[in-house]
Amino acid sequence: MSVLSRGFGRGRGRPADDRLPPGQYDVGSGFPVLSAGPTPHTPLAQCDLTVHDETDALRRWSWEEFRALPHEALTVDIHCVTKWSKFDSRWEGVAVDRLLQDVPTTATHVLAGSDGGYTTNLPLEDLTGGRAWVVDTYAGEPLPPEHGGPARLLVPHLYFWKSAKWLRRLTLLHHDEPGFWETFGYHNYGDPWREQRYSGD
Amino acid sequence: MARAAVQRRLNWLRARVLDNRMETPRVHRLVLDVPGWSGHLPGQHVDVRLTGEDGYVAERSYSLASPPEVPQLHLLVERLDDGEVSPYLTDEVRSDDVFELRGPIGGYFVWSVSADRTDRDTARRPVQLVAGGAGVSPFVAMLDHHRRLDSPTRMQLLYSARCEQEVLARDVLGPETTITLTREAPAGWRGETGRIDAGMLQRRTFGPAERPRTFVCGPTVFAEAMATTLVDLGHDPSAIRIERFGSTGEPS
Amino acid sequence: MTDTRDAISARRLDGNAAGGELAALFAVDLTTARSRCASCGTTSMIGAHLVYADAPAMVLRCPTCTEVVMRFASRDGRVLLDLRGAALLSVPMPVVSDDGSATADDRPRP
């Protein structure tokens, strides 16, 4: 039994749009900032990116080394589990394929780790095959800290919580290791087109 | 003298709007009738839940600006640009409209005459209130309650507002209140001007030697800056309680 | 306290904002409960904890070390609660008086 309040509603037009996954709305020019914790302010000189396996560090790039890697420009739609979608967001970054190209591995899964302790897990195949990037530029400007700068993961085909902000580490694993939200009732995979928001969806 | 019951399972109650009146250009006062309301302590807040005809649900929290002695509940709602809920509550809501309300909530950010009567040692320490903008709302309840019950507890409020037109609850504020205007002051204004800084805190608030019980309420940036400055001035951090109102924009 | 330089910090709240959700679950006010942080061992009242409330769930963090103390979400008729970051919660319980009504125990506590 809910009490309906006269005249209240979200009021956002929701035309049928095949670019919108189920349950989402177009946030237009906005780009909401959501966070589970304080923004890290680690000096750039200490913002390295590493690839690990279960036991060792396999690759490391300092910030300068990362910036020197070949970057691509991409324009993608992104979808947040809190229901906003943003069309045509513009980014620049390094394809994860490029980061992993000289890393021999039989790993099946990845745990992405952020400065500040956030983690999220993905199958390795969702980070490769041209489906994921580590990005440092948004809308032509350096990625701001509140949106994950200096560099974040970008995985547009999954809900945006998988695009870990303040990315510092990719750990290659032979098992799946649920991350921060996945251990708190959020879906382990997170496909917006199948509306996989929560575990059990 | 009965104490207000504060511990009871929280259920959503049906709030009926008795009045929606403009208090200042950006802030409206909502006066509510809430059958089944169990009473509250000054400083407590309520959660408001709105369900639209389209099924969309939004929740926000608002401090109670009325003291427990007044049977209707008063909320001071600031219209936030791009807000989802506040423009509805300020501009749309009218008498006999209904929404859901849950409370009273919180025992951390409260002050009451009855607590001071029980705990005489604490009651000797004065109460210092520091407010930024709409953060004055819980303190309006505290001051009103303090005056109605003629409390001997020393209480002062330092209240930062943008301009004189934005000062809330003028009927409750009295000589215990110092107002500072941060954007503009009227001709002949003899009060404080500018943001609250260490110097103004030293001039206008109880000093550390008096061991005040301090409450700070307002936007997060303001509240955290006040707390930090008070600690820098020598106040005991454990004697300072903060209630953050978030940024001046609502979450998307 | 962490600095307040950016949009995320400016939106952070505190344990007061979690008061309604927690009281709905626990049936008592938790904002005056004392929680010992499982990471740094500092004890603070829940009302003093930092709250990040616009992520998919509510995250409470220790005011001293900012590590996660509690995660809270409610949806679809269920409440999810992760309390691993709280090593110990000490909750003041209401006193039931002679007429059967419950009141907050206002007596000073050490």
Side-chain angles (χ1 to χ4, degrees):
Chain A
M1 172 229 95
S2 59
V3 171
L4 293 187
S5 294
R6 175 200 61 82
F8 181 73
R10 190 190 272 281
R12 296 180 208 261
R14 251 185 270 218
D17 187 333
D18 58 11
R19 285 174 79 176
L20 264 187
Q24 300 289 107
Y25 70 92
D26 177 2
V27 77
S29 60
F31 191 172
V33 171
L34 283 73
S35 183
T39 308
H41 289 288
T42 304
L44 275 181
Q46 289 156 41
C47 281
D48 57 359
L49 177 63
T50 56
V51 176
H52 285 249
D53 65 12
E54 278 99 338
T55 48
D56 297 311
L58 304 176
R59 287 287 182 279
R60 178 186 172 272
W61 296 270
S62 68
W63 175 247
E64 286 76 29
E65 288 167 340
F66 175 77
R67 287 288 297 152
L69 292 173
H71 280 47
E72 308 169 15
L74 53 148
T75 300
V76 293
D77 298 344
I78 58 182
H79 311 292
C80 179
V81 73
T82 61
K83 305 201 172 167
W84 57 265
S85 287
K86 185 168 181 65
F87 296 150
D88 301 322
S89 58
R90 294 184 295 118
W91 307 85
E92 290 168 37
V94 180
V96 174
D97 290 305
R98 176 68 181 76
L99 294 172
L100 298 181
Q101 73 183 22
D102 301 316
V103 179
T105 182
T106 54
T108 54
H109 290 83
V110 177
L111 184 66
S114 303
D115 196 348
Y118 180 83
T119 55
T120 189
N121 56 312
L122 305 98
L124 179 58
E125 66 182 11
D126 286 84
L127 278 185
T128 51
R131 301 214 275 172
W133 295 261
V134 178
V135 292
D136 57 24
T137 302
Y138 170 71
E141 298 291 328
L143 183 62
E146 44 264 37
H147 283 303
R152 75 179 297 164
L153 186 59
L154 180 65
V155 191
H157 69 282
L158 299 176
Y159 280 120
F160 213 46
W161 90 72
K162 297 283 184 180
S163 294
K165 296 188 199 186
W166 313 302
L167 186 72
R168 301 296 298 281
R169 176 188 287 224
L170 294 171
T171 304
L172 305 177
L173 300 167
H174 291 88
H175 65 277
D176 195 7
E177 179 83 19
F180 187 88
W181 289 126
E182 296 83 4
T183 55
F184 192 63
Y186 282 79
H187 199 276
N188 198 53
Y189 183 65
D191 179 355
W193 297 98
R194 288 180 284 166
E195 209 166 2
Q196 293 175 339
R197 299 180 199 269
Y198 312 119
S199 56
D201 283 348
Chain B
M1 53 208 76
R3 299 182 221 169
V6 291
Q7 305 292 13
R8 169 180 304 213
R9 179 173 287 280
L10 276 193
N11 292 314
W12 288 101
L13 303 171
R14 184 189 185 91
R16 184 170 63 91
V17 177
L18 296 174
D19 197 9
N20 171 5
R21 48 187 189 251
M22 187 182 84
E23 178 108 347
T24 66
R26 293 154 54 97
V27 176
H28 281 228
R29 176 179 294 257
L30 294 184
V31 182
L32 308 175
D33 171 44
V34 185
W37 182 250
S38 61
H40 67 281
L41 295 176
Q44 290 188 302
H45 66 272
V46 295
D47 290 342
V48 165
R49 183 164 74 184
L50 303 174
T51 305
E53 277 130 17
D54 61 358
Y56 181 67
V57 180
E59 267 186 53
R60 295 291 185 273
S61 300
Y62 295 100
S63 293
L64 290 158
S66 47
E69 294 72 35
V70 171
Q72 299 84 28
L73 302 187
H74 290 226
L75 306 181
L76 292 170
V77 180
E78 179 176 21
R79 181 193 304 104
L80 302 173
D81 302 331
D82 302 330
E84 239 176 13
V85 170
S86 60
Y88 174 76
L89 292 177
T90 54
D91 301 339
E92 277 299 318
V93 148
R94 52 190 195 225
S95 298
D96 285 339
D97 277 342
V98 291
F99 50 77
E100 291 179 292
L101 178 149
R102 167 173 78 178
I105 298 164
Y108 177 74
F109 200 80
V110 296
W111 176 83
S112 70
V113 169
S114 64
D116 274 12
R117 284 182 187 145
T118 319
D119 183 355
R120 298 282 184 189
D121 287 337
T122 301
R124 272 187 265 278
R125 297 166 55 193
V127 173
Q128 180 64 54
L129 311 172
V130 182
V136 76
S137 302
F139 302 147
V140 173
M142 289 183 187
L143 285 170
D144 201 346
H145 172 72
H146 179 284
R147 177 170 306 117
R148 285 170 189 261
L149 297 190
D150 201 19
S151 166
T153 299
R154 289 172 296 153
M155 179 176 280
Q156 283 182 9
L157 167 64
L158 177 57
Y159 172 18
S160 169
R162 272 181 268 234
C163 55
E164 203 189 18
Q165 298 88 318
E166 295 199 10
V167 172
L168 301 169
R170 271 174 244 235
D171 56 322
V172 168
L173 306 182
E176 76 294 309
T177 296
T178 300
I179 294 172
T180 180
L181 301 180
T182 60
R183 290 229 184 130
E184 57 179 358
W189 176 260
R190 284 196 294 264
E192 293 276 352
T193 55
R195 290 168 189 253
I196 301 175
D197 59 12
M200 193 183 298
L201 288 168
Q202 283 178 302
R203 286 194 299 283
R204 298 298 196 164
T205 67
F206 295 111
E210 306 202 65
R211 299 180 58 233
R213 301 170 272 163
T214 302
F215 295 88
V216 180
C217 186
T220 295
V221 175
F222 169 87
E224 293 185 354
M226 291 298 98
T228 303
T229 309
L230 286 165
V231 171
D232 290 346
L233 288 174
H235 287 273
D236 173 8
S238 70
I240 302 170
R241 294 196 176 185
I242 307 175
E243 182 157 82
R244 295 166 175 79
F245 271 20
S247 69
T248 49
E250 289 186 29
S252 306
Chain C
M1 189 162 328
T2 62
D3 70 280
T4 319
R5 280 188 265 168
D6 58 76
I8 289 172
S9 311
R11 290 151 65 95
R12 90 172 137 243
L13 301 171
D14 47 54
N16 298 297
E21 294 288 313
L22 291 173
L25 175 64
F26 283 90
V28 295
D29 173 50
L30 238 61
T31 59
T32 53
R34 293 180 197 277
S35 171
R36 185 165 80 218
C37 177
S39 298
C40 76
T42 310
T43 297
S44 319
M45 287 201 186
I46 291 292
H49 279 56
L50 306 176
V51 163
Y52 292 83
D54 49 25
M58 188 174 275
V59 180
L60 269 82
R61 290 178 176 267
C62 173
T64 300
C65 74
T66 76
E67 288 299 316
V68 176
V69 168
M70 186 186 303
R71 297 188 290 177
F72 188 104
S74 80
R75 58 168 175 267
D76 300 337
R78 304 190 77 85
V79 166
L80 280 76
L81 179 62
D82 173 351
L83 273 172
R84 284 175 293 172
L88 181 66
L89 269 183
S90 163
V91 186
M93 293 299 290
V95 173
V96 180
S97 55
D98 290 345
D99 67 1
S101 65
T103 58
D105 187 346
D106 289 342
R107 285 173 297 161
R109 284 283 173 265

mmCIF file of all heavy atoms in Angstrom, chain B residues 4-6 37-44 64-70 72-73 104 141:
data_model
loop_
_atom_site.group_PDB
_atom_site.id
_atom_site.type_symbol
_atom_site.label_atom_id
_atom_site.label_comp_id
_atom_site.label_asym_id
_atom_site.label_seq_id
_atom_site.Cartn_x
_atom_site.Cartn_y
_atom_site.Cartn_z
ATOM 1 N N ALA B 4 9.851 12.680 25.540
ATOM 2 C CA ALA B 4 9.336 12.169 24.266
ATOM 3 C C ALA B 4 9.864 10.765 24.054
ATOM 4 O O ALA B 4 11.025 10.483 24.291
ATOM 5 C CB ALA B 4 9.768 13.081 23.122
ATOM 6 N N ALA B 5 8.987 9.884 23.619
ATOM 7 C CA ALA B 5 9.423 8.516 23.304
ATOM 8 C C ALA B 5 10.264 8.553 22.045
ATOM 9 O O ALA B 5 9.848 9.101 21.038
ATOM 10 C CB ALA B 5 8.209 7.631 23.101
ATOM 11 N N VAL B 6 11.445 8.028 22.113
ATOM 12 C CA VAL B 6 12.279 8.065 20.920
ATOM 13 C C VAL B 6 12.555 6.698 20.341
ATOM 14 O O VAL B 6 13.086 6.583 19.262
ATOM 15 C CB VAL B 6 13.630 8.759 21.179
ATOM 16 C CG1 VAL B 6 13.428 10.219 21.421
ATOM 17 C CG2 VAL B 6 14.353 8.110 22.334
ATOM 18 N N TRP B 37 1.845 10.246 15.016
ATOM 19 C CA TRP B 37 3.192 10.757 15.323
ATOM 20 C C TRP B 37 3.472 10.582 16.810
ATOM 21 O O TRP B 37 2.663 10.924 17.641
ATOM 22 C CB TRP B 37 3.287 12.228 14.925
ATOM 23 C CG TRP B 37 4.631 12.820 15.149
ATOM 24 C CD1 TRP B 37 4.986 13.747 16.083
ATOM 25 C CD2 TRP B 37 5.839 12.501 14.428
ATOM 26 N NE1 TRP B 37 6.331 14.038 15.992
ATOM 27 C CE2 TRP B 37 6.879 13.292 14.979
ATOM 28 C CE3 TRP B 37 6.145 11.640 13.369
ATOM 29 C CZ2 TRP B 37 8.188 13.250 14.514
ATOM 30 C CZ3 TRP B 37 7.445 11.599 12.906
ATOM 31 C CH2 TRP B 37 8.448 12.407 13.477
ATOM 32 N N SER B 38 4.655 10.067 17.117
ATOM 33 C CA SER B 38 4.948 9.705 18.506
ATOM 34 C C SER B 38 5.705 10.788 19.260
ATOM 35 O O SER B 38 6.047 10.608 20.414
ATOM 36 C CB SER B 38 5.792 8.423 18.526
ATOM 37 O OG SER B 38 7.015 8.657 17.842
ATOM 38 N N GLY B 39 5.971 11.901 18.623
ATOM 39 C CA GLY B 39 6.758 12.934 19.287
ATOM 40 C C GLY B 39 8.215 12.842 18.882
ATOM 41 O O GLY B 39 8.645 11.863 18.277
ATOM 42 N N HIS B 40 8.973 13.889 19.223
ATOM 43 C CA HIS B 40 10.372 13.881 18.809
ATOM 44 C C HIS B 40 11.206 14.746 19.739
ATOM 45 O O HIS B 40 10.670 15.429 20.637
ATOM 46 C CB HIS B 40 10.517 14.383 17.370
ATOM 47 C CG HIS B 40 10.176 15.845 17.162
ATOM 48 N ND1 HIS B 40 8.885 16.294 17.071
ATOM 49 C CD2 HIS B 40 10.976 16.924 17.021
ATOM 50 C CE1 HIS B 40 8.900 17.608 16.886
ATOM 51 N NE2 HIS B 40 10.149 18.024 16.842
ATOM 52 N N LEU B 41 12.506 14.684 19.561
ATOM 53 C CA LEU B 41 13.442 15.557 20.270
ATOM 54 C C LEU B 41 14.011 16.563 19.274
ATOM 55 O O LEU B 41 14.227 16.226 18.099
ATOM 56 C CB LEU B 41 14.592 14.739 20.862
ATOM 57 C CG LEU B 41 14.213 13.740 21.955
ATOM 58 C CD1 LEU B 41 15.437 12.940 22.377
ATOM 59 C CD2 LEU B 41 13.590 14.445 23.152
ATOM 60 N N PRO B 42 14.264 17.790 19.713
ATOM 61 C CA PRO B 42 14.843 18.785 18.802
ATOM 62 C C PRO B 42 16.157 18.292 18.211
ATOM 63 O O PRO B 42 17.015 17.778 18.933
ATOM 64 C CB PRO B 42 15.067 19.997 19.715
ATOM 65 C CG PRO B 42 14.099 19.832 20.835
ATOM 66 C CD PRO B 42 14.000 18.349 21.056
ATOM 67 N N GLY B 43 16.290 18.435 16.906
ATOM 68 C CA GLY B 43 17.487 17.962 16.210
ATOM 69 C C GLY B 43 17.208 16.737 15.362
ATOM 70 O O GLY B 43 17.930 16.463 14.399
ATOM 71 N N GLN B 44 16.158 16.007 15.686
ATOM 72 C CA GLN B 44 15.850 14.815 14.912
ATOM 73 C C GLN B 44 15.304 15.178 13.537
ATOM 74 O O GLN B 44 14.861 16.304 13.303
ATOM 75 C CB GLN B 44 14.854 13.933 15.668
ATOM 76 C CG GLN B 44 15.486 13.275 16.895
ATOM 77 C CD GLN B 44 14.583 12.264 17.541
ATOM 78 O OE1 GLN B 44 13.466 12.603 17.948
ATOM 79 N NE2 GLN B 44 15.044 11.031 17.641
ATOM 80 N N LEU B 64 13.413 18.319 11.404
ATOM 81 C CA LEU B 64 12.193 18.902 11.955
ATOM 82 C C LEU B 64 12.524 20.282 12.490
ATOM 83 O O LEU B 64 13.404 20.427 13.351
ATOM 84 C CB LEU B 64 11.650 18.000 13.070
ATOM 85 C CG LEU B 64 11.098 16.684 12.548
ATOM 86 C CD1 LEU B 64 11.065 15.622 13.644
ATOM 87 C CD2 LEU B 64 9.707 16.887 11.973
ATOM 88 N N ALA B 65 11.854 21.290 11.967
ATOM 89 C CA ALA B 65 12.114 22.654 12.410
ATOM 90 C C ALA B 65 11.204 23.054 13.560
ATOM 91 O O ALA B 65 11.407 24.091 14.190
ATOM 92 C CB ALA B 65 11.931 23.631 11.244
ATOM 93 N N SER B 66 10.177 22.223 13.825
ATOM 94 C CA SER B 66 9.254 22.537 14.910
ATOM 95 C C SER B 66 9.709 21.823 16.178
ATOM 96 O O SER B 66 10.302 20.745 16.110
ATOM 97 C CB SER B 66 7.845 22.093 14.535
ATOM 98 O OG SER B 66 7.856 20.787 14.005
ATOM 99 N N PRO B 67 9.403 22.425 17.336
ATOM 100 C CA PRO B 67 9.766 21.763 18.585
ATOM 101 C C PRO B 67 8.715 20.710 18.926
ATOM 102 O O PRO B 67 7.614 20.722 18.366
ATOM 103 C CB PRO B 67 9.747 22.918 19.595
ATOM 104 C CG PRO B 67 8.706 23.846 19.058
ATOM 105 C CD PRO B 67 8.774 23.727 17.555
ATOM 106 N N PRO B 68 9.013 19.808 19.844
ATOM 107 C CA PRO B 68 8.041 18.765 20.195
ATOM 108 C C PRO B 68 6.756 19.324 20.806
ATOM 109 O O PRO B 68 5.742 18.647 20.793
ATOM 110 C CB PRO B 68 8.804 17.892 21.201
ATOM 111 C CG PRO B 68 10.025 18.637 21.579
ATOM 112 C CD PRO B 68 10.316 19.609 20.501
ATOM 113 N N GLU B 69 6.799 20.555 21.305
ATOM 114 C CA GLU B 69 5.618 21.168 21.915
ATOM 115 C C GLU B 69 4.550 21.526 20.889
ATOM 116 O O GLU B 69 3.408 21.818 21.253
ATOM 117 C CB GLU B 69 6.025 22.426 22.687
ATOM 118 C CG GLU B 69 6.920 22.152 23.915
ATOM 119 C CD GLU B 69 8.330 21.735 23.571
ATOM 120 O OE1 GLU B 69 8.879 22.238 22.558
ATOM 121 O OE2 GLU B 69 8.892 20.892 24.294
ATOM 122 N N VAL B 70 4.896 21.565 19.635
ATOM 123 C CA VAL B 70 3.951 21.920 18.567
ATOM 124 C C VAL B 70 3.471 20.635 17.909
ATOM 125 O O VAL B 70 4.285 19.838 17.453
ATOM 126 C CB VAL B 70 4.640 22.832 17.525
ATOM 127 C CG1 VAL B 70 3.757 23.038 16.311
ATOM 128 C CG2 VAL B 70 5.009 24.165 18.165
ATOM 129 N N GLN B 72 1.854 19.991 15.077
ATOM 130 C CA GLN B 72 2.106 19.839 13.644
ATOM 131 C C GLN B 72 3.614 19.788 13.418
ATOM 132 O O GLN B 72 4.382 20.405 14.146
ATOM 133 C CB GLN B 72 1.548 21.022 12.846
ATOM 134 C CG GLN B 72 0.051 21.220 12.954
ATOM 135 C CD GLN B 72 -0.325 22.019 14.197
ATOM 136 O OE1 GLN B 72 0.457 22.833 14.674
ATOM 137 N NE2 GLN B 72 -1.501 21.742 14.725
ATOM 138 N N LEU B 73 4.019 19.097 12.365
ATOM 139 C CA LEU B 73 5.442 19.041 12.043
ATOM 140 C C LEU B 73 5.759 20.103 11.008
ATOM 141 O O LEU B 73 5.034 20.265 10.033
ATOM 142 C CB LEU B 73 5.807 17.656 11.481
ATOM 143 C CG LEU B 73 5.514 16.462 12.370
ATOM 144 C CD1 LEU B 73 6.094 15.198 11.750
ATOM 145 C CD2 LEU B 73 6.063 16.647 13.777
ATOM 146 N N PRO B 104 10.489 9.848 14.384
ATOM 147 C CA PRO B 104 11.683 10.684 14.316
ATOM 148 C C PRO B 104 12.956 9.835 14.252
ATOM 149 O O PRO B 104 12.981 8.715 14.750
ATOM 150 C CB PRO B 104 11.638 11.457 15.635
ATOM 151 C CG PRO B 104 10.998 10.507 16.590
ATOM 152 C CD PRO B 104 9.981 9.735 15.780
ATOM 153 N N ALA B 141 14.373 24.170 15.827
ATOM 154 C CA ALA B 141 13.641 23.325 16.783
ATOM 155 C C ALA B 141 14.267 23.416 18.167
ATOM 156 O O ALA B 141 13.562 23.511 19.182
ATOM 157 C CB ALA B 141 13.616 21.876 16.290
#
